[in-house]
């Protein structure tokens, strides 16, 4: 398993790296730090602005970045075969995504400062940018690192369940976990539900299919690595998943990968869960 983890000097970043070591035993970890100097990333612009001490400032920032990834390396378990570090002048989020792509990583790991959704749209954040643009499964770590004992796996349909199940089987957790497999039957927003012809039949059929899918997924995953139970609920998917995650240490959810304007304006269920959940979220793409 190859992992790329973004590191800066925040407590959240080091917690994310520590959480990686608690959750997985990867074969190869690359810790990266993009040193973003903003408009002064280019020496030509710095020269045009007559920025005094630019070379010393640039070197100091690079040195700080290299120290950050080395500190990140120190919090990983010693049983990981390969841990490498990189720090270069680059936009932080893009640097994480570029390295994940070039190394063909199986997982990206980032910590989050847990900004509000509006704040992220206005000022941006590394975790927000990575979550929106990554093509690689992404672990968003919230809060302090902790042992993962209870996991909520939220699945939508049969294809989603098969994709997530295949990824979990190929990349097992370091230790066995207790897993709740949850599917949500969406509730239809309407003034008077009884006037919608076929609503009751639709809801019952959707629930029957959801129960079948979670049962199939439980049967496929049950074993030494996973102790499984199932749950099917009705409601708004984001709210219902976050409510179902109470008492769990990690949420796993699939992503359909919205593209273009939809990704920025409409968001997605997985994105909504990341923002509202009280624990870390693994988004499998």
């Amino acid at each position: 398993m190859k992992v790329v983890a973004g590191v800066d000097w925040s407590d959240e970043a080091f917690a994310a790296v520590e959480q990686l070591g608690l959750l997985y035993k990867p074969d190869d970890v690359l810790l990266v730090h993009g040193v973003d100097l903003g408009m002064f990333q280019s020496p030509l612009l710095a020269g045009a602005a007559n920025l005094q001490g630019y070379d010393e400032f640039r070197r100091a920032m690079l040195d700080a970045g290299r120290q950050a990834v080395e500190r990140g390396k120190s919090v990983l378990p010693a049983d990981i075969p390969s841990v490498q570090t990189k720090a270069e002048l680059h936009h932080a989020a893009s640097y994480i995504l570029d390295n994940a792509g070039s190394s063909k990583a199986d997982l990206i790991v980032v910590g989050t400062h847990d900004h509000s959704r509006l704040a992220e749209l206005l000022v941006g954040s590394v975790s927000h940018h990575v979550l929106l643009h990554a093509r690689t499964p992404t672990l968003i770590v919230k809060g302090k690192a902790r042992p993962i004992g209870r996991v909520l796996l939220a699945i939508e349909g049969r294809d989603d369940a098969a994709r997530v199940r295949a990824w979990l089987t190929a990349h097992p957790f370091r230790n066995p976990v207790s897993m709740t497999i949850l599917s949500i039957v969406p509730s239809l927003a309407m003034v008077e539900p009884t006037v919608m012809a076929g609503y009751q039949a639709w809801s019952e059929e959707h629930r029957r299919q959801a129960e079948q899918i979670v049962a199939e997924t439980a049967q496929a995953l049950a074993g030494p690595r996973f102790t499984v139970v199932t749950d099917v609920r009705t409601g708004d998917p984001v709210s219902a998943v976050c409510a179902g995650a109470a008492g769990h240490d990690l949420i796993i959810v699939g992503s359909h990968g919205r593209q273009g304007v939809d990704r920025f304006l409409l968001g997605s269920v997985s994105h909504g869960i990341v923002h509202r959940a009280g624990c870390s979220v693994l988004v499998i793409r």
Side-chain angles (χ1 to χ4, degrees):
M1 182 182 189
K2 293 183 178 181
V3 181
V4 170
V7 180
D8 57 25
W9 274 107
S10 67
D11 292 338
E12 292 83 357
F14 296 120
V17 176
E18 185 178 356
Q19 187 67 74
L20 165 63
L22 290 172
L23 189 56
Y24 290 107
K25 186 179 177 181
D27 303 301
D28 188 354
V29 175
L30 175 60
L31 304 177
V32 300
H33 177 86
V35 179
D36 192 348
L37 302 182
M39 66 176 293
F40 299 119
Q41 197 87 339
S42 166
L44 291 177
L45 286 177
N50 195 28
L51 182 67
Q52 298 296 319
Y54 170 76
D55 289 338
E56 290 78 5
F57 169 68
R58 182 174 178 273
R59 282 195 295 269
M61 292 295 287
L62 280 169
D63 286 343
R66 292 174 183 133
Q67 292 172 25
V69 290
E70 287 301 319
R71 178 180 167 186
K73 187 176 180 178
S74 71
V75 304
L76 285 170
D79 61 3
I80 296 177
S82 173
V83 180
Q84 303 174 64
T85 62
K86 290 177 68 174
E88 297 179 1
L89 291 175
H90 209 295
H91 181 272
S94 298
Y95 194 53
I96 294 169
L97 294 170
D98 289 350
N99 276 283
S102 62
S103 67
K104 298 181 179 180
D106 300 299
L107 179 67
I108 295 172
V109 177
V110 290
T112 178
H113 299 282
D114 218 11
H115 296 303
S116 71
R117 209 162 185 177
L118 177 60
E120 288 190 338
L121 287 172
L122 294 176
V123 303
S125 79
V126 172
S127 60
H128 175 75
H129 188 96
V130 170
L131 183 63
L132 285 177
H133 295 282
R135 298 180 180 273
T136 303
T138 303
L139 174 63
I140 305 292
V141 177
K142 292 189 167 190
K144 296 181 179 180
R146 58 183 176 182
I148 302 298
R150 298 192 64 201
V151 174
L152 178 73
L153 169 57
I155 54 177
E156 181 177 346
R158 188 164 273 103
D159 290 344
D160 178 53
R163 178 164 44 88
V164 172
R165 186 174 69 235
W167 198 89
L168 291 174
T169 302
H171 308 292
F173 295 135
R174 179 180 282 269
N175 298 308
V177 300
S178 173
M179 176 177 285
T180 302
I181 302 174
L182 171 68
S183 186
I184 307 299
V185 179
S187 57
L188 299 182
M190 60 189 81
V191 176
E192 183 54 60
T194 58
V195 304
M196 178 170 285
Y199 168 74
Q200 188 66 30
W202 173 89
S203 180
E204 290 175 356
E205 174 62 18
H206 201 117
R207 185 175 187 89
R208 185 192 67 79
Q209 292 180 10
E211 289 173 346
Q212 184 177 4
I213 291 169
V214 297
E216 291 172 354
T217 304
Q219 184 177 11
L221 288 176
R225 308 302 302 178
F226 300 106
T227 302
V228 297
V229 296
T230 62
D231 190 7
V232 175
R233 302 187 180 196
T234 300
D236 167 68
V238 173
S239 299
V241 169
C242 291
H248 291 74
D249 306 306
L250 175 70
I251 298 173
I252 303 174
V253 63
S255 172
H256 295 289
R258 290 184 181 272
Q259 299 296 319
V261 174
D262 280 354
R263 181 165 51 185
F264 292 96
L265 298 183
L266 301 180
S268 67
V269 170
S270 58
H271 200 166
I273 290 170
V274 168
H275 279 273
R276 293 178 57 178
C279 61
S280 299
V281 181
L282 171 59
V283 180
I284 298 178
R285 307 171 191 277

